[in-house]
């Protein structure tokens, strides 16, 4: 075993993240001892005492062990602030729901400032991963993809029913309405509501008011299958998802069919498309991330979106791609 | 049917040919389908020839018959038509894992309890992921809990606990164990009065009337124990699915490949698991794959069968406790 004393920091959400565990195990096998910070432990102040301060030479120091400079850092995921739900529940009925909502959104903003501050003040030679806030703008990414000659489904962003109608007609009455940021989840205790990508019907539109909140509509692409890629530096790992066969998952494959899961198999993208994706990533200064594509019935490949902190576990597992090992190699060599 | 197209099985639906019939292993959904050996040949040709060439090559098959076959396979979601099969590469069969040991079986005993810290430290170094803890006769829950309480200090992710039913413990006590240690995936209580199965959180609690008095109760090969998944298949084509990266510790502390095998490679009393693992011969049986074993090598179940290298006369022989005959092809009752 080669003993390696490079300092490697892995930032993840919680200890239960399997992809993180696997990468750490590869690092351990190669004689490394990665250090780890879980986003959740920053929020979970009750069980982790944390203090950050600035030393004489203006460096960030803390008692979490993540002070100083690292050879490499992998930002797998930061916390999603889910512990704030606990905080929310801790208020009793004497506090108005309105005030609780205000406090929670204030806390969220503050935590995000702290997150930003920490991430921009730990030093390293190699950094992998990204911050969805920087690279997660769907609209920007669509434009940039087009600039790199990738096909994209046409879209409009409008407040006008008249414009929507024109767009609807232009794309043969097949358009979809999409979330612009993250998926909207609303936990009602007994039920979890979440937004899915849905086809808009003529009836839907007739029920819309003449003016509405600025919304994002996209041309619906008839697809042969979907493709999910994980990109690491210049390597593209692709997986085809046959969601078209199943009506339940036709428009949005997150509506997973558990009895009969969508077929997921290794896929090999045409080299030109791979090259375009790699160029797009380098334009975004992204070393790794996931991309969603559609192979249309018109045989074209459509770029849909980038998930810069995208999960790659499923792609790696279904296709037997050794992504965990490659990430570990990146971090230690 | 567009005969310029190709028909391909999905790359995780893999045909395995047997002596007289074949199966398609659906490694994604964990099921299999019987098909004839002739069809497997046709499907193999389909990988490299477009449909019109297939029709040309197999003069005895007409287009209608072929289309019916393909549509049946599509209906079963096992394959698809495609224009360019190069877009759908086969699954890479290189299976890499950062762990030196994947499975460990420990017979719970006072001796092993005494060396528990050494054992778990070794398992952590070796990266062990799955552990099975067994008792053949009564062993107190307090002592079992000492084993369980150490698990969170290791890298073990899956735990199966097999204990003997005794008058001293109530069903509630077992449920409490599962609630306290959610890392236990399955808790089997053998020698029980009833057969019963329930879930506690994400864990299974199984009461069985089956009596497991010693390691010789292991090694049965049955359809129920087939494992149909990608990692198992990938292990099976290169290594022994029963013993590869497995280590066992018997009640007396002996370190073996499996509790049912006599040969010991030392004892936890005097050496570490890493040392035992590096003793000559420890990994000898790891490489005996199904394709090397007589009879098994022509069995269509060979890559989903659990195998057993303990109960046999010769290490290249089919397991004693398998009643399947791939030539007939049927399961016979063991007398
Ligand atoms: S013949 Fe061999 S491969 Fe087939 S079921 Fe029996 S043990 Fe398994």
């Amino acid at each position: 075993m080669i003993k390696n004393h490079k300092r490697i920091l892995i930032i993840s959400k919680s200890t239960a993240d399997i992809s993180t565990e696997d990468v750490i195990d590869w690092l351990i096998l190669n004689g490394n001892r990665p250090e780890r910070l879980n986003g959740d432990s920053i929020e979970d102040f009750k069980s982790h005492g944390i203090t950050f301060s600035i030393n004489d030479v203006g460096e960030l120091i803390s008692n979490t062990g993540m002070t100083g400079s690292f050879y490499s850092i992998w930002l797998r995921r930061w916390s999603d602030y889910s512990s704030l739900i606990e905080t929310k529940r801790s208020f009793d009925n004497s506090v108005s729901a309105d005030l609780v909502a205000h406090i929670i959104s204030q806390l969220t903003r503050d935590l995000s400032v702290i997150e930003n501050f920490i991430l921009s003040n730990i030093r390293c030679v190699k950094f992998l991963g990204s911050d969805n806030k920087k690279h997660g703008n769907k609209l920007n990414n669509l434009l940039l993809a087009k600039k790199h000659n990738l096909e994209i489904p046409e879209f409009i962003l409008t407040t006008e029913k008249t414009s929507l109608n024109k767009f609807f007609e232009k794309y043969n009455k097949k358009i979809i309405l999409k979330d612009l940021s993250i998926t909207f989840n609303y936990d009602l205790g007994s039920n979890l509501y979440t937004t899915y990508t849905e086809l808009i019907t003529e009836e839907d539109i007739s029920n819309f008011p003449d003016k509405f909140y600025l919304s994002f509509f996209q041309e619906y692409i008839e697809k042969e299958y979907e493709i999910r890629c994980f990109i690491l530096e210049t390597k593209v790992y692709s997986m085809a998802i046959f969601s078209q066969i199943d009506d339940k998952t036709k428009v949005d494959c997150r509506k997973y069919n558990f009895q009969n899961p969508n077929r997921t198999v290794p896929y090999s993208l045409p080299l030109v498309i791979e090259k375009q994706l790699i160029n797009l990533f380098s334009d975004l200064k992204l070393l790794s991330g996931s991309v969603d594509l559609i192979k249309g019935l018109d045989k074209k490949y459509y770029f849909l979106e980038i998930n810069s902190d995208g999960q790659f576990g499923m792609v790696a597992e279904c296709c037997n791609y050794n992504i965990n090992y490659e990430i570990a190699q990146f971090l230690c060599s | 049917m567009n005969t310029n197209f190709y028909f391909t099985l999905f790359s995780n639906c893999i045909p395995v040919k047997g002596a007289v019939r074949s199966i398609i292993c659906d490694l994604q959904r964990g099921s299999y389908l019987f098909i004839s050996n002739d069809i497997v040949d046709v499907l193999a040709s389909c990988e490299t020839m477009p449909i019109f060439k297939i029709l040309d090559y197999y003069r005895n098959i007409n287009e209608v018959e072929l289309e019916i076959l393909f549509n049946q396979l599509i209906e079963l979601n096992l394959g698809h038509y495609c224009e360019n099969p190069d877009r759908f590469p086969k699954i890479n069969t290189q299976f890499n894992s950062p762990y030196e040991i994947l499975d460990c079986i420990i017979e719970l005993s006072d001796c092993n309890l005494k060396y528990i810290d050494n054992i778990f430290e070794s398992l952590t170094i070796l990266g062990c992921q799955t552990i099975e803890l067994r008792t053949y006769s009564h062993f107190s829950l307090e002592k079992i809990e000492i084993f369980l309480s150490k698990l969170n200090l290791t890298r073990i992710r899956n735990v199966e606990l097999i204990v003997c039913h005794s008058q001293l413990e109530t069903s509630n006590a077992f449920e409490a164990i599962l609630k306290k240690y959610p890392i236990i995936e399955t808790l089997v209580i053998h020698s029980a009065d009833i057969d019963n199965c329930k879930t506690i959180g994400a864990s299974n609690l199984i009461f069985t009337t089956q009596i497991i008095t010693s390691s010789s109760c292991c090694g049965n090969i049955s359809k129920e124990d087939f494992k149909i998944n990608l990692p198992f298949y990938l292990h099976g084509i290169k290594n022994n699915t029963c013993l590869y990266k497995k280590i066992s510790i018997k009640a007396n502390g002996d370190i073996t490949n499996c509790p049912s095998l006599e040969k010991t490679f030392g004892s936890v009393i005097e050496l570490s698991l890493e040392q035992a693992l590096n003793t000559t011969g420890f990994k000898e049986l790891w490489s005996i794959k199904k394709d090397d074993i007589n009879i098994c090598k022509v069995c269509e179940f060979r890559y989903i069968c659990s195998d057993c290298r303990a109960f046999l006369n010769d290490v290249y022989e089919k397991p004693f406790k398998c009643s399947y005959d791939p030539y007939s092809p049927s399961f016979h009752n063991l007398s």
Side-chain angles (χ1 to χ4, degrees):
Chain A
M1 219 190 274
I2 318 140
K3 279 277 167 260
N4 197 322
H5 295 292
K6 286 175 184 157
R7 282 188 78 196
I8 299 170
L9 176 66
I10 292 177
I11 304 173
S12 183
K13 179 177 156 16
S14 67
T15 41
D17 188 79
I18 295 287
S19 301
T20 312
E21 294 289 312
D22 283 340
V23 170
I24 290 176
D25 287 336
W26 277 113
L27 287 168
I28 292 175
L29 186 74
N30 293 325
N32 297 285
R33 290 290 169 269
E35 295 162 53
R36 177 162 183 176
L37 171 76
N38 290 323
D40 277 359
S41 58
I42 297 244
E43 283 166 62
D44 187 5
F45 56 89
K46 285 178 196 138
S47 39
H48 304 260
I50 291 182
T51 304
F52 286 98
S53 55
I54 305 294
N55 71 7
D56 297 346
V57 288
E59 286 169 337
L60 177 68
I61 53 170
S62 85
N63 62 344
T64 57
M66 40 159 284
T67 317
S69 61
F70 292 88
Y71 174 69
S72 56
I73 295 179
W74 180 33
L75 173 58
R76 163 74 186 86
R77 265 173 97 185
W78 188 265
S79 168
D80 54 8
Y81 307 137
S82 51
S83 69
L84 290 177
I85 294 171
E86 287 303 311
T87 311
K88 202 170 173 177
R89 291 201 183 107
S90 67
F91 288 97
D92 60 41
N93 292 339
S94 64
V95 189
S96 79
D98 194 41
L99 180 57
V100 172
H102 262 82
I103 294 171
I104 297 295
S105 64
Q106 182 63 28
L107 275 174
T108 312
R109 280 190 298 263
D110 284 358
L111 278 170
S112 141
V113 171
I114 294 167
E115 170 186 336
N116 231 310
F117 172 63
I118 296 171
L119 292 179
S120 40
N121 284 288
I122 32 183
R123 280 166 294 125
C124 64
V125 183
K126 288 175 110 177
F127 182 86
L128 190 67
S130 116
D131 166 354
N132 237 344
K133 289 187 197 73
K134 263 190 238 144
H135 304 292
N137 191 314
K138 281 188 195 175
L139 300 173
N140 267 340
N141 292 347
L142 279 167
L143 285 191
L144 210 54
K146 192 156 183 167
K147 195 184 121 201
H148 284 283
N149 298 321
L150 286 152
E151 293 284 341
I152 59 166
E154 295 304 323
F155 68 84
I156 54 161
L157 203 56
T158 186
T159 60
E160 307 296 303
K161 188 167 174 173
T162 45
S163 311
L164 175 60
N165 266 320
K166 269 188 219 137
F167 186 75
F168 187 66
E169 294 302 327
K170 184 170 172 199
Y171 293 103
N172 305 320
K173 305 191 174 184
K174 287 209 148 173
I175 65 168
I176 53 172
L177 175 64
K178 269 179 100 169
D179 284 324
L180 275 178
S181 54
I182 52 161
T183 308
F184 173 89
N185 286 321
Y186 187 69
D187 191 352
L188 256 186
S190 52
N191 280 312
L192 180 72
Y193 287 84
T194 178
T195 49
Y196 283 116
T197 304
E198 290 286 1
L199 265 172
I200 304 285
T201 62
E202 207 149 8
E203 198 195 327
D204 290 332
I205 297 180
S206 69
N207 289 329
F208 285 179
D210 287 342
K211 290 189 181 290
F212 40 79
Y213 201 81
L214 195 59
S215 305
F216 176 57
F217 300 94
Q218 221 172 7
E219 158 197 14
Y220 174 70
I221 308 290
E222 297 281 354
K223 64 189 168 192
E224 199 180 336
Y225 41 79
E226 287 175 55
I227 299 160
R228 183 145 309 153
C229 311
F230 179 74
I231 300 180
L232 178 62
E233 295 188 281
T234 54
K235 197 139 175 27
V236 183
Y237 302 88
S238 310
M239 170 175 91
I241 307 173
F242 287 82
S243 49
Q244 203 59 0
I245 301 168
D246 192 328
D247 269 321
K248 263 195 202 160
T249 53
K250 221 168 175 175
V251 180
D252 186 332
C253 72
R254 281 170 300 175
K255 272 190 189 172
Y256 199 68
N257 185 337
F258 285 99
Q259 272 86 49
N260 195 358
N262 288 329
R263 208 35 98 176
T264 44
V265 290
Y267 191 74
S268 156
L269 273 174
L271 288 177
V272 267
I273 308 282
E274 288 198 353
K275 191 82 195 112
Q276 286 162 344
L277 290 173
I278 291 165
N279 291 342
L280 169 64
F281 267 50
S282 78
D283 214 353
L284 280 164
K285 301 200 167 44
L286 256 179
L287 279 177
S288 73
S290 299
V291 177
D292 289 343
L293 302 168
I294 281 181
K295 168 85 184 294
L297 284 181
D298 57 7
K299 302 198 168 89
K300 290 182 191 158
Y301 291 88
Y302 290 88
F303 167 91
L304 294 187
E305 63 182 61
I306 293 177
N307 281 305
S308 49
D309 62 352
Q311 309 268 53
F312 58 86
M314 191 172 160
V315 174
E317 225 174 90
C318 295
C319 306
N320 190 30
Y321 292 142
N322 215 355
I323 297 175
N324 295 323
Y325 169 82
E326 296 296 341
I327 289 177
Q329 275 314 99
F330 174 90
L331 294 173
C332 72
S333 59
Chain B
M1 178 164 69
N2 182 341
T3 57
N4 288 318
F5 274 42
Y6 291 77
F7 178 84
T8 48
L9 290 176
F10 290 114
S11 54
N12 47 25
C13 297
I14 300 181
V16 184
K17 218 170 171 180
V20 295
R21 63 175 177 182
S22 301
I23 56 171
I24 295 178
C25 293
D26 183 342
L27 299 173
Q28 186 181 351
R29 288 186 298 190
S31 56
Y32 60 84
L33 177 84
F34 288 110
I35 51 165
S36 76
N37 286 356
D38 297 340
I39 291 179
V40 172
D41 293 337
V42 175
L43 291 172
S45 313
C46 285
E47 286 175 11
T48 52
M49 289 186 230
I51 298 166
F52 74 87
K53 279 205 181 148
I54 296 284
L55 290 165
D56 211 40
Y57 187 79
Y58 292 94
R59 295 283 167 157
N60 56 336
I61 309 178
N62 69 41
E63 194 173 333
V64 178
E65 283 171 340
L66 200 61
E67 187 165 10
I68 290 173
L69 167 69
F70 291 159
N71 288 344
Q72 276 173 342
L73 292 169
I74 288 170
E75 189 61 30
L76 292 162
N77 194 8
L78 294 169
H80 62 126
Y81 293 117
C82 71
E83 207 176 345
N84 181 358
D86 294 344
R87 295 270 155 261
F88 294 95
K90 293 222 154 112
I91 293 179
N92 178 8
T93 55
Q94 192 66 41
F95 188 77
N96 296 302
S97 118
Y99 313 111
E100 286 172 77
I101 284 293
L102 291 171
D103 285 287
C104 174
I105 301 177
I106 303 179
E107 295 183 342
L108 300 185
S109 66
D110 288 326
C111 168
N112 289 337
L113 190 57
K114 205 162 140 200
Y115 294 93
I116 169 112
D117 289 326
N118 296 355
I119 295 173
F120 279 167
E121 194 190 314
S122 291
L123 288 178
T124 303
I125 293 170
L126 297 169
C128 181
Q129 299 290 292
T130 301
I131 193 166
E132 181 186 311
L133 303 170
R134 305 179 173 171
T135 69
Y136 303 119
S137 53
H138 176 75
F139 191 70
S140 81
L141 270 184
E142 290 77 63
K143 287 182 186 169
I144 293 175
E145 276 210 67
I146 302 178
F147 282 93
L148 297 174
S149 66
K150 308 259 177 185
L151 285 171
N152 59 356
L153 303 171
T154 71
R155 290 152 77 190
I156 292 163
R157 293 180 196 169
N158 310 304
V159 179
E160 183 167 10
L161 179 61
I162 302 173
V163 300
C164 178
H165 189 257
S166 74
Q167 304 310 321
L168 304 171
E169 280 108 20
T170 62
S171 174
N172 286 345
F174 293 118
E175 288 182 22
I177 289 275
L178 286 180
K179 283 192 190 122
K180 192 161 168 197
Y181 303 98
I183 190 174
I184 305 173
E185 217 163 281
T186 313
L187 170 53
V188 180
I189 295 127
H190 65 80
S191 317
D193 318 324
I194 38 147
D195 287 299
N196 183 15
C197 195
K198 57 178 153 183
T199 52
I200 309 289
S203 319
N204 299 312
L205 179 60
I206 301 168
F207 287 87
T208 168
T209 47
Q210 202 191 334
I211 297 166
I212 306 176
T213 49
S214 77
S215 58
S216 63
C217 297
C218 185
N220 292 324
I221 307 288
S222 71
K223 273 190 279 196
E224 287 66 42
D225 296 323
F226 286 164
K227 297 191 179 87
I228 315 166
N229 62 61
L230 184 60
F232 190 82
Y233 171 85
L234 294 172
H235 273 151
I237 56 178
K238 299 235 165 85
N239 296 294
N240 189 271
T241 47
C242 174
L243 300 178
Y244 180 64
K245 293 199 178 182
K246 182 191 266 184
I247 196 163
S248 303
I249 306 162
K250 303 225 285 198
N252 64 2
D254 281 353
I255 304 167
T256 59
N257 287 130
C258 142
S260 309
L261 280 164
E262 286 308 314
K263 188 162 172 41
T264 77
F265 297 89
S267 160
V268 289
I269 300 167
E270 63 226 10
L271 78 173
S272 70
L273 298 183
E274 302 93 286
Q275 284 168 322
L277 190 64
N278 290 317
T279 312
T280 9
F282 193 93
K283 298 176 184 170
E284 200 178 296
L285 300 174
W286 286 13
S287 61
I288 301 181
K289 49 189 188 301
K290 281 281 180 183
D291 287 339
D292 303 327
I293 299 167
N294 291 326
I295 301 184
C296 293
K297 64 176 144 193
V298 296
C299 173
E300 60 276 21
F301 300 125
R302 63 191 175 277
Y303 303 130
I304 58 175
C305 161
S306 50
D307 195 36
C308 167
R309 290 296 96 203
F311 303 105
L312 26 78
N313 296 322
D314 180 288
V315 289
Y316 290 104
E317 191 179 88
K318 142 182 173 175
F320 256 168
K321 298 193 195 177
C322 168
S323 67
Y324 186 64
D325 171 14
Y327 293 98
S328 49
S330 58
F331 284 89
H332 302 288
N333 281 338
L334 283 178
S335 46

